[in-house]
Amino acid sequence: MAQVPQTFFDALAVRTWCGLALTALGRAREEIDAINVYPVADGDTGTNLYLTVESAATAVEAVFAGYEAGSGAGSVPAGKPSLADAARAMAHGALIGARGNSGTILAQLLRGMAQVLTAEGETPHTDGGGLRLALRHAADSARQAVAHPVEGTVLSVASAAADAAEGAEGDCGTVARAAYRGACAALAATPGQLAVLERAGVVDAGGRGLVAVLAALVETFTGEAPGLSGALTAAAVAAHGRVESVQAADCADDGPDGGAGEGGESGPAFEVIYLLEAEDPAVARLRRRLDALGDSLVVVGGDGLWNVHVHVDDAGAAVEAGVEAGRPYRIRITHFGADDAHTRAGERPPRERVQRAVVAVVPGEGLAGLYAEAGATTVLARPGEPPASGELVEAVRRAHAREVVLLPNDADLRHTAAAAAEQARTEGIRVALIPTRSAVQGIAALAVHEPDRRFDEDVVSMTSAAGATRYAEVTVAERQSWTMAGICQAGDVLGLIDGDVAVIASDVTAAAETVLNRMLAAGGELVTLVLGDEAPEGVAEHLETRVREAYLAVDTVVYRGGRQGALVLIGVE
């Protein structure tokens, strides 16, 4: 079905573009991963771009949901978001969710566009002239973010798109088409600009991803996706006759991560990525420090929040540099193993898949350790930072199994986990989603997991154990709200049973005891307590004593969950 075209670049066009770009990258992800040879042949450019755009799209959807739910109440105005609202959300979402070299550069491209789209305040939309300016600023700001720009990468494709757009007169659709055609021609020329691409017989993977994003932009304004194969095939012949290995079937079946640093078969041992809260002068010093430590340095962002990406041999020094500059968080360190990132494509020895694995979302570091000890592959969900479907798919792949049992451990992740499971199934992985709504249900499921029995039997047993476990949590109210137990005020202690507020109290221990008593009134044989870092001293001992004295033959186990959001998680089975 053809997409309904957007006449102007307004908030709805931003939303539509993000959704179409996510779909396009989802289709092209494996292809882009397969042609990723620069700056590191780690086969993840398509995945990184997908996760980056997914974060941007999620942020835009949240803005629309806020307006739709607000309807004039509270601090959220009625009506619909402005172009500035949507563009800022897109840029911020991409910034905080950027992955890898190309994802970080794409985040800066989107931020550069947003800076132009928000410059005129709360204007409802912009036209083709505004889009031309946005594409130009995006390409220029992305180059400035890279320590040592290299031609033949996503930077070249972005610049060519902006150049072509500048020569186009007309509406947004006309400008988007020109940018797309310029990007395709530049992509076809990348093997002639970068020797590592020519040796591999591929085009740049990051540039290939940008072409997909620009194709989505064309579809946003015209209602029709451009013919990828024809456009690039013609460009390949005209711009670079040697790119005969590029398959005509899909715009370009090849390409590497775009960015900085020298391509080759050896390089730094680690990729380090983190978000950083810091002022501009400190970031300038950080750039110089990291540039001396490694390569592929990209620092994007502004207004006090930055995304830092670098390849180094001393990961600790890269993180320490961030600490000196400000407050780094969401730190990700990836080791490029000898048989991983710096081996040539085709030379990596295949790793045999295990038969079955469990992938689980966990709310704190302590539980992550517990689940890992039990053999599960974990995805850490920090408070207010639920994982995206792409992260769950990545974890399923990381488990490297033929069969996977997926435990979302959160009712709000039901649809996200279902989308991840569906995508993994398209890759030939047999996935069973058990709809666990709390980490304590996941613990119960994991306790009966037996990988040696038939898959269906194992799933049924785990599902039964999870379903037989009632769950609760004790937390603190962030604001005044109506609940099933009455009106709570900010700072009140809440006891939730099976997702509904059942207790409002002023004391954590008292609330936890009341919740536990209500749960055990219906029976139970085992109580599981998971304590967060901020749980008061003595709460576990008090609850254990209460169970021992009041409920004969009921056992209690206690775990430390770390920074899990809830003060106490309770399970009764």
Side-chain angles (χ1 to χ4, degrees):
M1 181 182 296
Q3 175 69 34
V4 177
Q6 304 297 314
T7 306
F8 296 104
F9 206 161
D10 58 6
L12 183 57
V14 173
R15 184 188 202 182
T16 302
W17 181 31
C18 287
L20 291 173
L22 187 62
T23 300
L25 287 171
R27 288 195 300 262
R29 182 192 56 76
E30 288 187 2
E31 168 204 327
I32 297 171
D33 282 346
I35 58 173
N36 173 200
V37 300
Y38 179 85
V40 174
D42 47 358
D44 62 358
T45 291
T47 299
N48 288 338
L49 290 169
Y50 179 88
L51 293 174
T52 302
V53 173
E54 183 179 48
S55 183
T58 299
V60 173
E61 288 300 324
V63 168
F64 273 85
Y67 273 81
E68 291 163 3
S71 298
S75 60
V76 180
K80 60 182 181 180
S82 66
L83 171 60
D85 291 329
R88 275 193 292 263
M90 173 184 70
H92 181 75
L95 177 67
I96 65 174
R99 299 293 190 91
N101 206 21
S102 286
T104 307
I105 293 172
L106 178 60
Q108 187 66 6
L109 287 167
L110 296 180
R111 177 180 171 80
M113 291 188 70
Q115 287 174 326
V116 173
L117 299 176
T118 60
E120 298 181 14
E122 299 303 308
T123 180
H125 59 75
T126 191
D127 56 12
L131 179 55
R132 283 196 301 272
L133 292 174
L135 290 169
R136 177 79 274 160
H137 186 64
D140 293 345
S141 62
R143 278 189 177 272
Q144 292 167 7
V146 176
H148 302 286
V150 174
E151 298 306 323
T153 67
V154 64
L155 297 176
S156 303
V157 176
S159 293
D163 291 344
E166 286 181 332
E169 295 293 336
D171 60 12
C172 289
T174 301
V175 173
R177 278 197 192 95
Y180 170 77
R181 290 167 181 156
C184 279
L187 178 63
T190 56
Q193 296 172 294
L194 205 54
V196 65
L197 303 183
E198 189 166 45
R199 287 198 301 270
V202 299
V203 295
D204 179 65
R208 170 65 180 94
L210 181 57
V211 164
V213 172
L214 290 173
L217 187 65
V218 173
E219 187 174 0
T220 297
F221 294 118
T222 67
E224 297 180 356
L228 297 181
S229 58
L232 184 59
T233 301
V237 173
H240 200 287
R242 286 177 290 173
V243 194
E244 296 176 354
S245 63
V246 178
Q247 299 179 11
D250 206 344
C251 188
D253 275 17
D254 331 297
D257 225 9
E262 295 300 319
E265 290 131 20
S266 64
F270 298 96
E271 177 184 60
V272 178
I273 305 174
Y274 50 79
L275 291 179
L276 177 70
E277 292 178 356
E279 299 302 319
D280 289 9
V283 172
R285 293 191 296 272
L286 175 67
R287 289 178 190 271
R288 293 192 292 271
R289 173 85 181 276
L290 293 179
D291 193 25
L293 285 175
D295 61 30
S296 294
L297 173 61
V298 186
V299 181
V300 304
D303 302 319
L305 180 62
W306 308 81
N307 190 307
V308 179
H309 170 281
V310 67
H311 294 174
V312 293
D313 282 319
D314 189 343
V319 175
E320 288 171 7
V323 173
E324 292 175 6
R327 186 179 80 88
Y329 61 103
R330 288 203 198 178
I331 301 167
R332 298 188 187 96
I333 299 174
T334 303
H335 179 248
F336 296 139
D339 293 322
D340 186 7
H342 296 296
T343 55
R344 291 185 181 181
E347 292 182 356
R348 305 176 194 175
R351 182 161 63 95
E352 182 66 25
R353 287 184 179 273
V354 298
Q355 182 60 33
R356 189 175 309 156
V358 176
V359 173
V361 180
V362 292
E365 295 89 343
L367 281 177
L370 174 67
Y371 273 72
E373 287 176 8
T377 297
T378 61
V379 178
L380 189 61
R382 299 190 184 279
E385 300 177 10
S389 63
E391 293 178 81
L392 300 187
V393 174
E394 194 174 29
V396 170
R397 296 190 192 109
R398 194 167 70 244
H400 205 64
R402 299 182 182 88
E403 302 167 339
V404 171
V405 179
L406 181 58
L407 307 175
N409 291 340
D410 187 336
D412 292 336
L413 289 177
R414 181 175 70 256
H415 298 302
T416 301
E422 189 61 33
Q423 182 172 338
R425 291 182 188 117
T426 66
E427 299 175 13
I429 304 171
R430 189 180 184 186
V431 181
L433 171 61
I434 298 179
T436 48
R437 294 170 288 177
S438 170
V440 292
Q441 288 189 324
I443 291 172
L446 202 54
V448 300
H449 169 54
E450 291 185 16
D452 292 334
R453 64 184 164 195
R454 290 178 57 246
F455 184 64
D456 291 339
E457 292 177 357
D458 198 28
V459 171
V460 168
S461 178
M462 295 176 72
T463 302
S464 177
T469 302
R470 300 188 301 282
Y471 66 97
E473 67 178 80
V474 178
T475 188
V476 176
E478 296 181 354
R479 58 186 177 274
Q480 184 187 62
S481 180
W482 290 88
T483 75
M484 297 287 289
I487 301 175
C488 70
Q489 305 295 327
D492 283 348
V493 179
L494 305 180
L496 291 82
I497 300 177
D498 292 335
D500 293 323
V501 176
V503 176
I504 300 175
S506 58
D507 179 75
V508 174
T509 302
E513 181 177 343
T514 302
V515 166
L516 188 55
N517 285 336
R518 292 191 185 184
M519 296 177 76
L520 287 173
E525 299 176 355
L526 177 65
V527 172
T528 300
L529 302 175
V530 183
L531 306 181
D533 279 348
E534 298 182 3
E537 288 292 331
V539 63
E541 291 78 3
H542 179 87
L543 296 177
E544 284 184 289
T545 300
R546 173 63 182 164
V547 171
R548 187 168 55 250
E549 294 177 348
Y551 303 95
L552 299 177
V554 177
D555 295 323
T556 305
V557 292
V558 180
Y559 301 110
R560 297 284 174 178
R563 293 175 291 175
Q564 62 182 23
L567 299 172
V568 184
L569 296 176
I570 303 173
V572 174
E573 53 185 296

